[in-house]
Amino acid sequence: MNIIKSTESLHEILFLFLEVGLILGSLGVVILTNIVYSAFFLALVFVCISLLYLLLNADFVATAQILIYVGAINILIVFAVMLINKPQSFNFFPSWTTGDGITCAACTGLFFLLITTISDTSWSEIYLVTQSNNIVEQDLGGNIQRIGYLLLTEFLLPFELLSIILLVALIGAITVARREKILEIRVKSQALQAKEDFPTS
Amino acid sequence: MLEHALNLGAYLFCIGIFGLITSRNMVRALMCLELLFNAVNINLVTFSNYFDTEQLKGEIFSIFVIAIAAAEAAIGLAIVLAIHRNRGSTRIDQLDLLKW
């Protein structure tokens, strides 16, 4: 009992740390004007979210979060920032227009609406209902084994469709990113041809 | 713990929407889109952990969402690169290619 209590409090403390990291990191992503800093704050947010998944007993999703978000998406974003970004003037607080104020008010209103909804809902009753529905117990070992089993039996079609989507996204990204030069060459050759056709004009 | 996690997801969602509306840089808008996906994923994993410990369907759906987000980020950054090459800027309010 004592051990359970201490792990509970440890969970609470870890959760508080993750909460602070998430709040500050997401604020940094939105508010900071230098976009490189916000990319690195985004990495901090992703790492905190994956630790949160670990606290919620979702090992596989935490690993996938680290691998895909921090390892792939964030690196991609930093790469795009390096390709695109021009050095800008360093003012840490951007100009605050009225549209920003209206959006901020709307978002805080939405946030408080969501919070009141969450605190009003009686989660214990829902928990009892779902527990009474779960009569059929299938013990398939750990978390990862169960996810693999479900992915290859019940969710087989979405899984395969997902691989097709990833392939299409890969090819589409390559095509979109390199199409410009071909178009330019074609337009130039057409212009040259038009000039040769009508040399007087 | 459940309500804390749900509040955290709501907070991330609101911050993501705020950044998505107010950001003037396309790359920052994509970052805020990733924040939105992560808020949804936090909700899915939380509900899967507390209410559906036998089936884990929420975790599987969050894996699907992560994969779709990876594809979306690749396509979005490719579009940003193409637009930057064409127009020389990535500001959202200057992208009026499809206007008239």
Side-chain angles (χ1 to χ4, degrees):
Chain A
M1 192 63 196
N2 217 352
I3 296 171
I4 293 171
K5 239 180 197 175
S6 69
T7 53
E8 284 277 314
S9 64
L10 188 65
H11 265 216
E12 290 288 323
I13 293 168
L14 278 177
F15 192 77
L16 271 183
F17 271 112
L18 290 182
E19 215 166 22
V20 170
L22 271 176
I23 289 173
L24 293 182
S26 51
L27 272 183
V29 169
V30 174
I31 288 179
L32 287 182
T33 49
N34 196 346
I35 200 164
V36 183
Y37 292 159
S38 52
F40 288 122
F41 270 108
L42 193 70
L44 171 73
V45 169
F46 288 157
V47 170
C48 284
I49 288 174
S50 98
L51 292 178
L52 180 69
Y53 290 161
L54 271 187
L55 281 186
L56 290 173
N57 298 319
D59 315 338
F60 185 72
V61 187
T63 321
Q65 171 92 8
I66 285 272
L67 281 177
I68 297 175
Y69 271 110
V70 184
I73 294 180
N74 200 30
I75 296 298
L76 204 64
I77 286 175
V78 172
F79 197 67
V81 167
M82 283 178 186
L83 277 181
I84 287 169
N85 202 23
K86 292 170 215 152
Q88 295 163 345
S89 59
F90 278 88
N91 53 338
F92 269 97
F93 294 102
S95 58
W96 188 264
T97 61
T98 55
D100 292 359
I102 293 170
T103 315
C104 185
C107 285
T108 45
L110 179 64
F111 178 57
F112 283 115
L113 184 70
L114 285 174
I115 278 192
T116 49
T117 313
I118 288 167
S119 58
D120 280 348
T121 312
S122 59
W123 297 107
S124 52
E125 290 178 15
I126 300 175
Y127 181 73
L128 287 180
V129 170
T130 55
Q131 287 310 103
S132 64
N133 281 338
N134 275 341
I135 304 169
V136 184
E137 301 249 337
Q138 36 173 324
D139 196 19
L140 284 165
N143 198 343
I144 299 176
Q145 279 96 344
R146 235 179 297 168
I147 286 178
Y149 177 76
L150 277 177
L151 271 184
L152 288 182
T153 54
E154 197 172 342
F155 296 94
L156 185 60
L157 185 64
F159 189 63
E160 302 293 340
L161 286 180
L162 194 67
S163 59
I164 294 177
I165 281 185
L166 282 179
L167 180 68
V168 169
L170 184 68
I171 298 172
I174 293 172
T175 327
V176 168
R178 72 188 286 269
R179 186 169 51 184
E180 208 268 338
K181 221 167 236 177
I182 300 168
L183 267 185
E184 191 178 307
I185 290 168
R186 199 174 292 159
V187 167
K188 263 184 194 167
S189 64
Q190 277 175 358
L192 280 180
Q193 211 167 14
K195 241 181 217 174
E196 285 168 4
D197 286 349
F198 306 100
T200 54
S201 59
Chain B
M1 182 83 179
L2 169 71
E3 297 189 2
H4 276 273
L6 292 183
N7 285 339
L8 211 54
Y11 170 77
L12 268 185
F13 191 80
C14 295
I15 284 285
I17 284 186
F18 174 72
L20 190 64
I21 293 176
T22 59
S23 66
R24 294 177 184 81
N25 196 329
M26 274 190 83
V27 182
R28 192 192 298 274
L30 279 176
M31 288 186 206
C32 295
L33 213 57
E34 301 299 327
L35 281 186
L36 285 181
F37 278 122
N38 274 300
V40 175
N41 271 344
I42 284 178
N43 270 9
L44 284 175
V45 173
T46 311
F47 281 125
S48 162
N49 183 33
Y50 282 98
F51 296 134
D52 191 21
T53 49
E54 295 303 318
Q55 300 254 331
L56 292 179
K57 282 178 181 165
E59 293 190 18
I60 290 171
F61 203 81
S62 72
I63 291 168
F64 287 156
V65 172
I66 286 176
I68 299 291
E72 171 265 334
I75 294 280
L77 288 173
I79 290 175
V80 169
L81 267 183
I83 286 175
H84 177 73
R85 231 184 268 143
N86 272 333
R87 309 293 303 259
S89 89
T90 55
R91 283 176 63 105
I92 285 182
D93 47 356
Q94 291 174 355
L95 297 182
D96 46 4
L97 280 171
L98 294 177
K99 206 185 240 175
W100 299 111

